[in-house]
Amino acid sequence: MKTLSAPYSRVIQAAAPAVAAVLFSCARQQEPGQAGSGPRVVSLAPNLTEIVCAVGAGDRLTGRSSACNYPPEIVGRVPVLADFGVPSIESLIAARPDVVLESDLQDKADARRLADAGIRIEHVECGRLDDIPAAVEKIGAIVGCSEQASVLASSLKAELERRRSVTPPPGPRVFVEIWDDPLTTAGKASFLSEAIRLAGGVNIGDESAAAYYQVSPEWVIMKNPEIILCFHSSGAAADSVRKRPGWRGVAAVKTRMVRDDLNPDVLLRPGPRIIEGLRLLDEVVSEARNR
Amino acid sequence: MMHARRIPLWPFIVATPLVLATCVLFGPAGLILPDGGTELGRSILILRLQRVAAGFVVGAGLACAGTVLQAILRNPLAEPYVLGISGGAGLGAAGAILTGLAAWNVFMVPLSAFVASALALFAVYLLAAWGGRISVYGLILSGVIVSSVASSLLMFMVTVTPARGLHSVLWWMLGNLQVSDPALLEACALAIFPASGILWLMSRELNAMTLGHEAAHHLGVRCAVVVPLGLGLATLITGAAVGLSGMIGFVGLVVPHVTRTLTGPDHRRLIPASMLAGGVFLALSDAVARTVLAPRELPVGVITSLIGGPFFLALLQNRRRRGWVD
C-alpha cells in the first residue's frame, strides 16, 4: 500500500527510482494485516525492524522491541515482545515466531535459551556501514523478499561506493556527543565515525579505537571541534553546551555549530535510513565549511 | 601498637603543594601545561585547576571523616560510608537524575544526595538508639541495614526507569571530579574545611575515645555530646564530598590507616596529616584516571581502589610482620 512505501520515499529517491516500483509492488502484494506467505518474524532491534519493513515484509512482523518506532504505521500494530536486545523468552515462545532477528543481545546466553526453546534465532551484524547492505540481503533472504532486498542493497552499496570514490578536502573537526553526563563520544569503531568521514568531516573521537567511550571536557576543548553533534536532550543541548564552564571559546560554540536537531534515530541506527543520515551530515559539514 | 618512627607534620605540608602542582600538568595530551595565552588554553587550565582543587577538597574531607569514624566507632573497617551515608546519598542522587530534577539545576544532584545522606544517618541513629543506649555495634549494624535497604531501593529505581538516565547514575556512583559549577566546589569546601577544623579541635576527646567510650567517660569526655557531634560533622563532610563528586571509595578507609602508621595515633597530628595525604592521593589518582588511557577517561574510583588495594595489603603484611595484634 501507499502507506507502506511512503516512509521510505526519501531513501528510495536517494537510491534509484527503480527501487520505488519494486518496493511498491511488493507492498501491494502484501496487504497489511493479511498473513503474508513468508515466515513470522520478530525483530529485537530498531534497525532490523526498519530493514524488515524496507524489504517489504512489514506484515510478517509478529513482534518487536520497545525501541522499534519506525515506520510508525507498521510498528504501531506490532506487539512489543522485548526491550532492545533483551527478549522476554516467554512472550517470544507464546508468539510462535518462525525466526527471531537480533543484532546485539545484552545477554548472549539468550540466543541459546531461545534456540533450546525451538526458536530459530538469526544474528545480523550491523557494526559498520558496509554491514548494512549485507544485513538487508540477509534479512531479505530470511523473510522471503530477496528480490526487493537485493535492489535496496545494491542501491545502498552504490551510494557508499560513490561516496568513497570522491575524496573531499580535509573537512571540519566533528565532536559527537552521544551523552552529556558522563561526556560520551563515538570512536573509530563506531559506524557513525565512518559516516562522518564519508560526509567529509573529521571525527575527533577517532583518536581511540573504541566504539563509544567517556572523555573529559578538557580534551574536547583542546581538540577545538568546529562541529558538535549532540544526540541527547534535543532542542536543549546547544544551549547547555554554551553554558558549560570553559566551552565558550570552542570553535563550534563560537560559530553556533552545536547541532542538537539531528534525528538520532536516523544517524545512530545502522539501517536503510542511513542514506538520509549521510545527507544530513553533508548539510552540516558544508554549513561549517562556509562559516 | 608499636611504631618504629613517627613522621612529623611538616613533610606533609611541604609535599602537598608540590604534588598538586604536578597534578595540574597531567592532561589527556600528556605532561604539558596548557598555553595560558590563548582562550582555549586558559579554559583548559581553569578546568584542570578546578579538578585538582576538587580532588584535594574531596580527598581531604573523606580522609578526615574516615579518621574520625574509625576513632569514634573503634573499628578498623570504619569509613565515611559505613553509617548508611553512601546508600542514602546514592539513592538521593539517582532519584534526582532519574526523575529529571538534575536537568533543572546543577545543584539538584548534590543537594538531594546531601539531604538523603543526612536522612540515612538519622535513620541509622534512630535504629541504633531503639530500646536503650546507643552502642558502637548498634550504630554499625544499623548502618549496614540502612545501606542495604537504600541499595535495594536504588536497584528498584534503576530497574523500573528507562535506560537513558542509567548511564549517568552508574557513572556518578563511580565518582567524577569534573566540577559542573565552580560555586558548587566553593560550597563544598566551605562545608568540609570548617567541619574538619572543629573535628581537629576535638582531637583530645577523639584520642580518649579510641580507648573505649567507658574509659573516655572516666577521662572526663562527655560522650553524649562528642559522639553525636563527631558523627554529625563526619556526615556533613561526607555528604558534601559525595554531592560534589559521587561515591569515591577507598580514600576514607585506606588513607587514615596509612597515615596512622606514619604519624602515630594522636589525632592532633593525625587529622591534618591524613587530610593532606587524602587530598594529594585523590588528586593524583584523578590525574592518572584522565591520563593513562587518554582520550578515554576512567572513573576515578577505579583508580583509587586499584592503587589503594595493593598498598593497603602491603601495609597490613608489614604490620603483621612487626607483630601487630589488635
mmCIF file of all heavy atoms in Angstrom, chain A residues 87-100 109-121:
data_model
loop_
_atom_site.group_PDB
_atom_site.id
_atom_site.type_symbol
_atom_site.label_atom_id
_atom_site.label_comp_id
_atom_site.label_asym_id
_atom_site.label_seq_id
_atom_site.Cartn_x
_atom_site.Cartn_y
_atom_site.Cartn_z
ATOM 1 N N PRO A 87 15.246 -9.961 25.071
ATOM 2 C CA PRO A 87 13.982 -10.624 24.766
ATOM 3 C C PRO A 87 13.294 -11.145 26.025
ATOM 4 O O PRO A 87 13.946 -11.525 26.984
ATOM 5 C CB PRO A 87 14.416 -11.784 23.871
ATOM 6 C CG PRO A 87 15.825 -12.048 24.246
ATOM 7 C CD PRO A 87 16.406 -10.734 24.680
ATOM 8 N N SER A 88 11.965 -11.107 25.988
ATOM 9 C CA SER A 88 11.210 -11.783 27.031
ATOM 10 C C SER A 88 10.915 -13.182 26.494
ATOM 11 O O SER A 88 10.081 -13.357 25.604
ATOM 12 C CB SER A 88 9.929 -11.014 27.315
ATOM 13 O OG SER A 88 8.961 -11.888 27.811
ATOM 14 N N ILE A 89 11.665 -14.168 27.004
ATOM 15 C CA ILE A 89 11.647 -15.509 26.406
ATOM 16 C C ILE A 89 10.218 -16.072 26.360
ATOM 17 O O ILE A 89 9.784 -16.618 25.340
ATOM 18 C CB ILE A 89 12.559 -16.458 27.212
ATOM 19 C CG1 ILE A 89 13.950 -15.841 27.361
ATOM 20 C CG2 ILE A 89 12.618 -17.844 26.568
ATOM 21 C CD1 ILE A 89 14.978 -16.224 26.391
ATOM 22 N N GLU A 90 9.481 -15.906 27.453
ATOM 23 C CA GLU A 90 8.129 -16.480 27.495
ATOM 24 C C GLU A 90 7.212 -15.863 26.443
ATOM 25 O O GLU A 90 6.495 -16.572 25.749
ATOM 26 C CB GLU A 90 7.518 -16.295 28.886
ATOM 27 C CG GLU A 90 8.062 -17.289 29.879
ATOM 28 C CD GLU A 90 7.293 -17.253 31.188
ATOM 29 O OE1 GLU A 90 6.135 -16.816 31.190
ATOM 30 O OE2 GLU A 90 7.883 -17.645 32.202
ATOM 31 N N SER A 91 7.269 -14.497 26.335
ATOM 32 C CA SER A 91 6.412 -13.846 25.330
ATOM 33 C C SER A 91 6.794 -14.312 23.939
ATOM 34 O O SER A 91 5.922 -14.503 23.076
ATOM 35 C CB SER A 91 6.551 -12.332 25.382
ATOM 36 O OG SER A 91 6.657 -11.887 26.697
ATOM 37 N N LEU A 92 8.100 -14.508 23.723
ATOM 38 C CA LEU A 92 8.551 -14.925 22.396
ATOM 39 C C LEU A 92 8.033 -16.313 22.067
ATOM 40 O O LEU A 92 7.548 -16.564 20.962
ATOM 41 C CB LEU A 92 10.081 -14.914 22.330
ATOM 42 C CG LEU A 92 10.711 -13.556 22.036
ATOM 43 C CD1 LEU A 92 12.211 -13.683 21.968
ATOM 44 C CD2 LEU A 92 10.179 -12.994 20.733
ATOM 45 N N ILE A 93 8.105 -17.221 23.043
ATOM 46 C CA ILE A 93 7.627 -18.586 22.792
ATOM 47 C C ILE A 93 6.126 -18.552 22.492
ATOM 48 O O ILE A 93 5.647 -19.199 21.563
ATOM 49 C CB ILE A 93 7.939 -19.494 23.998
ATOM 50 C CG1 ILE A 93 9.458 -19.649 24.122
ATOM 51 C CG2 ILE A 93 7.273 -20.855 23.852
ATOM 52 C CD1 ILE A 93 9.908 -20.356 25.369
ATOM 53 N N ALA A 94 5.392 -17.727 23.265
ATOM 54 C CA ALA A 94 3.951 -17.646 23.082
ATOM 55 C C ALA A 94 3.593 -17.076 21.712
ATOM 56 O O ALA A 94 2.558 -17.425 21.137
ATOM 57 C CB ALA A 94 3.336 -16.796 24.188
ATOM 58 N N ALA A 95 4.467 -16.199 21.164
ATOM 59 C CA ALA A 95 4.149 -15.576 19.878
ATOM 60 C C ALA A 95 4.412 -16.515 18.699
ATOM 61 O O ALA A 95 4.042 -16.186 17.573
ATOM 62 C CB ALA A 95 4.960 -14.290 19.711
ATOM 63 N N ARG A 96 5.028 -17.656 18.925
ATOM 64 C CA ARG A 96 5.325 -18.671 17.907
ATOM 65 C C ARG A 96 5.946 -18.089 16.636
ATOM 66 O O ARG A 96 5.434 -18.314 15.541
ATOM 67 C CB ARG A 96 4.057 -19.440 17.533
ATOM 68 C CG ARG A 96 3.465 -20.263 18.671
ATOM 69 C CD ARG A 96 2.182 -20.962 18.251
ATOM 70 N NE ARG A 96 1.108 -20.012 17.955
ATOM 71 C CZ ARG A 96 0.646 -19.719 16.751
ATOM 72 N NH1 ARG A 96 1.150 -20.314 15.689
ATOM 73 N NH2 ARG A 96 -0.309 -18.854 16.589
ATOM 74 N N PRO A 97 7.036 -17.326 16.759
ATOM 75 C CA PRO A 97 7.651 -16.827 15.525
ATOM 76 C C PRO A 97 8.436 -17.932 14.820
ATOM 77 O O PRO A 97 8.835 -18.910 15.455
ATOM 78 C CB PRO A 97 8.606 -15.741 16.038
ATOM 79 C CG PRO A 97 8.987 -16.206 17.405
ATOM 80 C CD PRO A 97 7.806 -16.961 17.957
ATOM 81 N N ASP A 98 8.624 -17.757 13.516
ATOM 82 C CA ASP A 98 9.482 -18.708 12.798
ATOM 83 C C ASP A 98 10.942 -18.320 12.945
ATOM 84 O O ASP A 98 11.816 -19.171 12.908
ATOM 85 C CB ASP A 98 9.099 -18.735 11.319
ATOM 86 C CG ASP A 98 7.688 -19.261 11.135
ATOM 87 O OD1 ASP A 98 7.394 -20.334 11.701
ATOM 88 O OD2 ASP A 98 6.877 -18.574 10.493
ATOM 89 N N VAL A 99 11.172 -17.014 13.063
ATOM 90 C CA VAL A 99 12.559 -16.575 13.203
ATOM 91 C C VAL A 99 12.610 -15.292 14.037
ATOM 92 O O VAL A 99 11.714 -14.458 13.963
ATOM 93 C CB VAL A 99 13.224 -16.374 11.809
ATOM 94 C CG1 VAL A 99 12.475 -15.340 10.997
ATOM 95 C CG2 VAL A 99 14.683 -15.985 11.944
ATOM 96 N N VAL A 100 13.662 -15.205 14.874
ATOM 97 C CA VAL A 100 13.894 -14.002 15.673
ATOM 98 C C VAL A 100 15.183 -13.371 15.167
ATOM 99 O O VAL A 100 16.201 -14.052 15.031
ATOM 100 C CB VAL A 100 14.016 -14.355 17.166
ATOM 101 C CG1 VAL A 100 14.410 -13.122 17.976
ATOM 102 C CG2 VAL A 100 12.714 -14.932 17.690
ATOM 103 N N ALA A 109 23.687 -15.334 26.274
ATOM 104 C CA ALA A 109 23.117 -16.647 26.572
ATOM 105 C C ALA A 109 21.661 -16.739 26.135
ATOM 106 O O ALA A 109 21.128 -17.840 25.982
ATOM 107 C CB ALA A 109 23.239 -16.932 28.063
ATOM 108 N N ASP A 110 20.992 -15.578 25.907
ATOM 109 C CA ASP A 110 19.604 -15.604 25.467
ATOM 110 C C ASP A 110 19.461 -16.314 24.131
ATOM 111 O O ASP A 110 18.429 -16.935 23.864
ATOM 112 C CB ASP A 110 19.054 -14.179 25.359
ATOM 113 C CG ASP A 110 18.567 -13.668 26.709
ATOM 114 O OD1 ASP A 110 18.344 -14.520 27.598
ATOM 115 O OD2 ASP A 110 18.418 -12.453 26.872
ATOM 116 N N ALA A 111 20.496 -16.204 23.272
ATOM 117 C CA ALA A 111 20.429 -16.866 21.965
ATOM 118 C C ALA A 111 20.283 -18.368 22.157
ATOM 119 O O ALA A 111 19.465 -19.018 21.504
ATOM 120 C CB ALA A 111 21.690 -16.541 21.166
ATOM 121 N N ARG A 112 21.068 -18.914 23.115
ATOM 122 C CA ARG A 112 20.992 -20.359 23.341
ATOM 123 C C ARG A 112 19.653 -20.731 23.974
ATOM 124 O O ARG A 112 19.055 -21.729 23.618
ATOM 125 C CB ARG A 112 22.153 -20.786 24.242
ATOM 126 C CG ARG A 112 22.584 -22.217 24.021
ATOM 127 C CD ARG A 112 23.371 -22.726 25.206
ATOM 128 N NE ARG A 112 22.619 -22.542 26.429
ATOM 129 C CZ ARG A 112 23.051 -21.857 27.488
ATOM 130 N NH1 ARG A 112 24.233 -21.305 27.477
ATOM 131 N NH2 ARG A 112 22.310 -21.723 28.559
ATOM 132 N N ARG A 113 19.181 -19.874 24.898
ATOM 133 C CA ARG A 113 17.889 -20.163 25.544
ATOM 134 C C ARG A 113 16.772 -20.237 24.516
ATOM 135 O O ARG A 113 15.921 -21.118 24.575
ATOM 136 C CB ARG A 113 17.569 -19.074 26.572
ATOM 137 C CG ARG A 113 18.409 -19.217 27.813
ATOM 138 C CD ARG A 113 18.027 -18.209 28.886
ATOM 139 N NE ARG A 113 19.162 -18.089 29.792
ATOM 140 C CZ ARG A 113 19.835 -16.976 30.024
ATOM 141 N NH1 ARG A 113 19.457 -15.842 29.456
ATOM 142 N NH2 ARG A 113 20.857 -16.973 30.836
ATOM 143 N N LEU A 114 16.792 -19.289 23.553
ATOM 144 C CA LEU A 114 15.754 -19.285 22.526
ATOM 145 C C LEU A 114 15.885 -20.510 21.634
ATOM 146 O O LEU A 114 14.894 -21.157 21.292
ATOM 147 C CB LEU A 114 15.845 -18.011 21.684
ATOM 148 C CG LEU A 114 15.280 -16.760 22.343
ATOM 149 C CD1 LEU A 114 15.613 -15.524 21.537
ATOM 150 C CD2 LEU A 114 13.762 -16.876 22.486
ATOM 151 N N ALA A 115 17.150 -20.829 21.295
ATOM 152 C CA ALA A 115 17.364 -21.994 20.434
ATOM 153 C C ALA A 115 16.890 -23.261 21.140
ATOM 154 O O ALA A 115 16.261 -24.124 20.525
ATOM 155 C CB ALA A 115 18.842 -22.097 20.070
ATOM 156 N N ASP A 116 17.153 -23.338 22.450
ATOM 157 C CA ASP A 116 16.699 -24.500 23.219
ATOM 158 C C ASP A 116 15.174 -24.603 23.209
ATOM 159 O O ASP A 116 14.620 -25.697 23.290
ATOM 160 C CB ASP A 116 17.183 -24.407 24.672
ATOM 161 C CG ASP A 116 18.674 -24.690 24.781
ATOM 162 O OD1 ASP A 116 19.240 -25.177 23.771
ATOM 163 O OD2 ASP A 116 19.268 -24.430 25.832
ATOM 164 N N ALA A 117 14.516 -23.435 23.144
ATOM 165 C CA ALA A 117 13.052 -23.452 23.121
ATOM 166 C C ALA A 117 12.517 -23.719 21.721
ATOM 167 O O ALA A 117 11.321 -23.640 21.482
ATOM 168 C CB ALA A 117 12.517 -22.111 23.639
ATOM 169 N N GLY A 118 13.419 -24.028 20.777
ATOM 170 C CA GLY A 118 12.987 -24.399 19.435
ATOM 171 C C GLY A 118 12.718 -23.221 18.525
ATOM 172 O O GLY A 118 12.015 -23.353 17.530
ATOM 173 N N ILE A 119 13.249 -22.046 18.889
ATOM 174 C CA ILE A 119 13.025 -20.869 18.050
ATOM 175 C C ILE A 119 14.289 -20.586 17.258
ATOM 176 O O ILE A 119 15.390 -20.579 17.811
ATOM 177 C CB ILE A 119 12.649 -19.650 18.915
ATOM 178 C CG1 ILE A 119 11.293 -19.889 19.575
ATOM 179 C CG2 ILE A 119 12.617 -18.382 18.080
ATOM 180 C CD1 ILE A 119 10.901 -18.823 20.554
ATOM 181 N N ARG A 120 14.124 -20.360 15.967
ATOM 182 C CA ARG A 120 15.293 -20.041 15.149
ATOM 183 C C ARG A 120 15.683 -18.592 15.406
ATOM 184 O O ARG A 120 14.859 -17.691 15.297
ATOM 185 C CB ARG A 120 14.916 -20.235 13.678
ATOM 186 C CG ARG A 120 16.007 -19.854 12.712
ATOM 187 C CD ARG A 120 15.539 -20.093 11.286
ATOM 188 N NE ARG A 120 16.448 -19.462 10.346
ATOM 189 C CZ ARG A 120 16.074 -19.001 9.161
ATOM 190 N NH1 ARG A 120 14.810 -19.106 8.784
ATOM 191 N NH2 ARG A 120 16.946 -18.457 8.347
ATOM 192 N N ILE A 121 16.946 -18.375 15.784
ATOM 193 C CA ILE A 121 17.396 -17.016 16.041
ATOM 194 C C ILE A 121 18.542 -16.688 15.100
ATOM 195 O O ILE A 121 19.459 -17.483 14.919
ATOM 196 C CB ILE A 121 17.769 -16.804 17.530
ATOM 197 C CG1 ILE A 121 18.218 -15.375 17.768
ATOM 198 C CG2 ILE A 121 18.812 -17.787 18.020
ATOM 199 C CD1 ILE A 121 17.983 -14.895 19.172
#
